[in-house]
């Protein structure tokens, strides 16, 4: 059969359910075979390849499966670069198939030729260029294996056009053996015992939990460990949902915009148990002033993350789920009452707050969305202030309920990620909520119509503060209020009309009462996306805040100014 048919059959054999793609000359043969073969997977025609890549990320994060993207060569391929970089930074398993000019023309500046393998070399977990149709099936098998196993990440598979025409025998391999690729799974027993000993000896232990706990399907075990040993838990942005935030042991998020009490716990604890986390600079701030009294136990699958930023006194390298399975029976209930009382006092002294003065505050909107959506919600956010308010004021109680762009901080991520999540969660009863700023939403708003086509009832919030809010905040705090090119008021569209033009419902709220009514109305729509525009004050800022590069102790807790 043709290489293009082998491609289609391989995706079916891999169990792919959804492909987010956009056709072009280099992959036209694959699209032709899809028309002829009517494959078992669904192809979603996105309106921009970047949107497709973020949709695949949203699908992967919501379902725990690998996301799939198919694009043409040249601009089709380069349009995926931001999504690939995003997936690399955030350990999201996706496979991106890019068309390529015929092998004989490679290197000759042919029409729509880009060396996408070269372009993406430093932002992929691995990449392949297929040179023979006979290699297609084993390469596809290997690509999904690499994307999904160990620390997950993006894999690019480049498909020269002639390979798709070439004939070969189709056989999908059962197993993968790759020289030089081994996943460290079983942690060393002596390291588990050392970790248990350190937990036993600690007086003020703290669990610092990252996205690796969710990727590794270890949230339940982590929760069991925290509850058994009575250890308080703080999570990173990507760790949100790994531990139920309505549990008294939860401290919410730590770091730059984390809670005051989580950061206080970090600065006063005597043991940090890091689980699937990488000590990112948005977590630690000034490294040598972070957690000054703590020894560190680090449970981590990626050996290159261990002792990279913060030295691990005990490194438990391997699958975090297996590590927690083995650690749990060795850890006894601890008396941490004094430490927990101290934390409760911090929580009472400086809880997360916002001004309640009759104006429509974004934090209020997020609280209301959280209450309305309940435990079954899956939330995606874009990047900026609304992202941090969502992390602070939405209550996450389940793994895979919070999807965002953390490492790369990609504006334009949130809505297409919601599209991908909603495609993956059809029929599960989950409500997908997409929270955006007025800046980033417009960077991939074209995918609205795709969501409408599939009748996905995504609840889209656009926090319209008329500004690139997070940059405005930095300009106010650190650049003497020179608001250089952050005002969006004269380039913002009418968001309600925009939604309607794309076949969605558009609603607007300017007061808390209107916001309540709009949220209620949005939840009554079941057959298409609803865009809720919330007009909020531009002056609102995200606090607490540890300024970039500052010590955690120098956190700005709250600052109100006249409006
Ligand atoms: C693609 C991209 N360009 C620029 C930035 C820098 N940046 C970070 S936050 C932000 C402002 C976002 O504004 P908006 O989407 O309105 O959200 P808000 O902060 O107001 O909630 C900008 C420009 C980015 N993160 N990503």
């Amino acid at each position: 059969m043709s290489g293009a048919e082998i491609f289609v059959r391989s995706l079916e054999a891999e169990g792919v359910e959804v492909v987010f793609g956009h056709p072009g000359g280099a992959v036209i043969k694959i699209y032709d075979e899809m028309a002829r073969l009517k494959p078992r997977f669904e192809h979603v025609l996105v309106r921009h390849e970047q949107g497709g890549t973020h949709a695949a990320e949203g699908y992967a994060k919501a379902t725990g499966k690998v996301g799939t993207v198919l694009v043409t060569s040249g601009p089709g391929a380069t349009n995926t670069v931001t999504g690939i970089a995003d997936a690399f930074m955030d350990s999201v398993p996706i496979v991106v198939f890019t068309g390529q000019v015929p092998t004989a023309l490679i290197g000759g500046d042919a029409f729509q030729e880009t060396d996408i393998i070269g372009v993406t070399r430093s932002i992929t977990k691995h990449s392949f260029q297929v040179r023979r149709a006979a290699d297609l099936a084993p390469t596809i098998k290997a690509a999904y294996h690499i994307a999904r196993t160990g620390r997950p990440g993006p894999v690019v598979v480049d498909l020269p056009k002639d390979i798709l025409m070439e004939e070969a025998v189709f056989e999908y391999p059962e197993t993968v053996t790759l020289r030089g690729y081994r996943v460290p799974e079983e942690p060393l027993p002596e390291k588990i015992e050392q970790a248990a000993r350190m937990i036993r000896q600690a007086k003020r232990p703290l669990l610092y939990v990252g996205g690796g706990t969710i990727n590794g399907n270890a949230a339940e075990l982590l929760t069991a460990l925290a509850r058994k040993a009575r250890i308080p838990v703080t999570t990173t942005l990507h760790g949100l949902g790994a531990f139920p935030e309505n549990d008294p042991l939860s401290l919410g998020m730590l770091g730059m915009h984390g809670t005051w009490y989580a950061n206080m716990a970090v600065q006063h604890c005597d043991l940090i148990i890091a689980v699937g986390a990488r000590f990112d600079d948005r977590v630690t701030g000034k490294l040598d002033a972070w957690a000054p009294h703590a020894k560190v136990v680090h449970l981590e699958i990626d050996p290159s993350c261990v002792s990279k930023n913060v030295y691990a006194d005990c490194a438990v390298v391997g699958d975090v789920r297996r590590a927690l399975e083995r650690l749990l029976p060795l850890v006894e209930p601890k008396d941490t009452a004094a430490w927990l009382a101290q934390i409760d006092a911090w929580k009472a002294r400086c809880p997360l707050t916002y001004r309640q003065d009759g104006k429509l505050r974004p934090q209020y909107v997020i609280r209301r969305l959280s209450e309305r959506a309940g435990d079954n919600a899956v939330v995606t956010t874009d990047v900026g202030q609304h992202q941090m308010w969502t992390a602070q004021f939405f209550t996450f109680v389940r793994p895979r309920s919070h999807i965002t762009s953390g490492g790369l901080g990609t504006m334009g991520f949130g809505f297409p990620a919601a599209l991908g999540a909603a495609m993956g969660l059809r029929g599960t009863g989950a409500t997908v909520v997409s929270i955006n700023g007025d800046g980033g939403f417009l960077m991939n708003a074209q995918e609205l119509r795709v969501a409408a086509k599939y009748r996905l009832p995504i609840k889209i919030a656009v926090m319209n503060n008329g500004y690139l809010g997070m940059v405005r905040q930095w300009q106010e705090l650190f650049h003497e209020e020179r608001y250089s090119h952050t005002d969006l008021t004269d380039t913002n569209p009418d968001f309600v009309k925009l939604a309607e033009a794309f076949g969605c419902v558009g609603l607007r709220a300017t007061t808390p009462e209107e916001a309540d009514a709009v949220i209620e109305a949005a939840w009554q729509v079941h057959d298409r996306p609803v865009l809720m525009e919330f007009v909020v004050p531009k002056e609102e800022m995200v606090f607490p805040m540890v300024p970039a590069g500052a010590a955690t102790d120098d956190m700005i807790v709250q600052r109100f100014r006249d409006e």
Side-chain angles (χ1 to χ4, degrees):
M1 65 177 74
S2 71
E5 182 169 355
I6 294 176
F7 174 87
V8 171
R9 296 296 182 211
S10 297
L11 262 52
E12 286 182 334
E14 191 57 44
V16 171
E17 294 165 345
V18 188
V19 174
F20 298 94
H22 199 291
V27 287
I28 198 162
K29 179 75 175 160
I30 294 178
Y31 278 83
D32 195 41
E33 291 292 23
M34 287 198 294
R36 191 174 68 84
L37 297 168
K38 312 254 175 311
R40 283 201 295 276
F41 56 81
E42 189 154 17
H43 177 276
V44 176
L45 172 60
V46 291
R47 301 306 300 267
H48 191 296
E49 291 88 347
Q50 185 187 355
T53 324
H54 296 322
E57 290 186 272
Y59 172 90
K61 290 204 126 203
T63 63
K65 301 172 188 165
V66 180
T68 304
V69 181
L70 171 63
V71 298
T72 193
S73 66
T78 55
N79 273 349
T80 66
V81 170
T82 302
I84 294 170
D86 192 89
F88 186 68
M89 291 289 274
D90 284 349
S91 311
V92 189
I94 58 170
V95 177
V96 179
F97 295 99
T98 54
Q100 185 53 279
V101 301
T103 39
L105 301 186
I106 289 177
D109 294 339
F111 176 63
Q112 294 195 327
E113 178 182 7
T114 301
D115 171 17
I116 198 66
I117 300 284
V119 169
T120 59
R121 192 171 305 280
S122 62
I123 51 168
T124 45
K125 187 171 172 190
H126 197 62
S127 51
F128 298 94
Q129 187 174 68
V130 183
R131 289 301 189 123
R132 299 183 319 150
D135 293 340
L136 264 168
T139 306
I140 292 170
K141 176 86 182 173
Y144 280 90
H145 175 73
I146 293 170
R148 137 181 349 112
T149 51
R151 181 178 177 180
V155 177
V156 166
V157 183
D158 202 26
L159 304 169
K161 188 170 180 173
D162 52 321
I163 302 307
L164 302 173
M165 316 286 181
E166 194 181 300
E167 296 282 318
V169 175
F170 173 60
E171 197 184 329
Y172 203 65
E174 302 250 302
T175 53
V176 187
T177 31
L178 291 163
R179 236 182 334 139
Y181 181 71
R182 265 193 316 281
V183 179
E185 295 212 319
E186 209 54 58
L188 292 172
E190 57 267 33
K191 290 293 171 189
I192 302 277
E193 276 155 31
Q194 187 191 355
R197 222 169 23 247
M198 287 170 75
I199 292 172
R200 209 172 303 132
Q201 285 160 1
K203 300 241 170 328
R204 299 183 307 280
L206 178 66
L207 278 156
Y208 148 53
V209 174
T213 311
I214 296 171
N215 284 342
N217 296 317
E220 262 178 48
L221 284 162
L222 176 276
T223 303
L225 175 73
R227 286 179 177 162
K228 183 175 181 189
R230 314 247 351 112
I231 302 175
V233 182
T234 180
T235 73
T236 68
L237 184 62
H238 282 314
L240 289 169
F243 185 76
E245 291 195 293
N246 51 13
D247 188 300
L249 289 170
S250 170
L251 297 175
M253 185 172 74
L254 82 169
M256 181 178 271
H257 289 298
T259 60
W260 181 73
Y261 39 92
N263 285 333
M264 287 296 279
V266 168
Q267 295 307 86
H268 290 85
C269 70
D270 65 356
L271 179 69
I272 288 217
I273 309 145
V275 186
R278 63 185 173 91
F279 300 88
D280 173 62
D281 58 87
R282 285 312 192 243
V283 163
T284 63
K286 192 162 176 262
L287 265 176
D288 49 17
W290 192 71
H293 313 293
K295 289 230 178 321
V296 173
V297 172
H298 193 179
L299 277 56
E300 172 60 47
I301 190 139
D302 180 358
S304 77
C305 272
V306 175
S307 296
K308 183 171 66 182
N309 298 332
V310 169
Y311 177 74
D313 299 280
C314 172
V316 184
V317 179
D319 182 78
V320 287
R321 191 183 158 84
R322 295 216 192 168
L324 287 170
E325 256 164 22
R326 281 160 186 56
L327 187 57
L328 195 55
L330 303 186
V331 171
E332 287 127 35
K334 278 179 76 66
D335 178 8
T336 51
W339 174 226
L340 293 177
Q342 166 70 83
I343 286 172
D344 283 344
W346 283 328
K347 280 185 179 177
R349 184 162 144 206
C350 191
L352 283 171
T353 52
Y354 61 95
R355 256 195 291 204
Q356 303 189 26
D357 58 356
K359 290 191 182 172
L360 181 56
R361 300 286 167 189
Q363 301 93 328
Y364 173 80
V365 173
I366 287 161
R367 276 259 156 95
R368 299 293 292 135
L369 287 170
S370 181
E371 286 159 13
R372 187 64 186 83
D375 292 357
N376 215 8
V378 173
V379 179
T380 78
T381 81
D382 211 69
V383 171
Q385 291 181 308
H386 66 279
Q387 177 188 34
M388 294 298 118
W389 287 319
T390 304
Q392 293 177 336
F393 289 95
F394 207 102
T395 306
F396 295 100
V397 295
R398 279 188 310 115
R400 303 195 183 282
S401 61
H402 174 255
I403 298 172
T404 196
S405 168
L408 198 66
T410 309
M411 285 170 73
F413 168 90
F415 178 64
L419 163 67
M423 285 301 293
L425 295 173
R426 278 178 305 174
T428 64
T431 308
V432 177
V433 182
S434 166
I435 302 178
N436 307 269
D438 47 334
F441 181 69
L442 231 55
M443 288 194 179
N444 271 313
Q446 75 284 347
E447 306 306 338
L448 273 174
R449 189 77 182 108
V450 182
K453 172 182 165 182
Y454 287 91
R455 303 192 157 276
L456 301 172
I458 304 171
K459 313 299 175 211
I460 306 159
V462 175
M463 302 292 176
N464 186 356
N465 55 7
Y467 268 82
L468 294 166
M470 187 56 97
V471 182
R472 186 198 172 284
Q473 171 164 347
W474 285 42
Q475 289 172 332
E476 177 167 343
L477 291 175
F478 311 119
H479 296 276
E480 296 165 347
E481 303 184 31
R482 282 184 296 278
Y483 299 117
S484 179
H485 297 280
T486 43
D487 185 346
L488 299 176
T489 43
D490 49 4
T491 54
N492 264 347
D494 179 327
F495 283 99
V496 171
K497 283 190 185 155
L498 178 116
E500 287 166 354
F502 279 103
C504 307
V505 176
L507 304 166
R508 179 178 293 124
T510 57
T511 64
E513 297 71 36
E514 283 175 15
D516 288 353
V518 157
I519 291 170
E520 204 39 56
W523 256 260
Q524 302 312 319
V525 178
H526 302 290
D527 63 348
R528 73 193 74 178
V530 184
L531 187 155
M532 302 165 278
E533 180 193 2
F534 298 102
V535 181
V536 294
K538 65 176 188 293
E539 293 82 4
E540 196 64 49
M541 293 215 256
V542 186
F543 289 118
M545 177 177 195
V546 181
T552 301
D553 286 327
D554 296 332
M555 195 176 353
I556 307 169
V557 175
Q558 188 62 275
R559 191 182 293 174
F560 292 145
R561 52 172 289 165
D562 295 335
E563 286 169 11

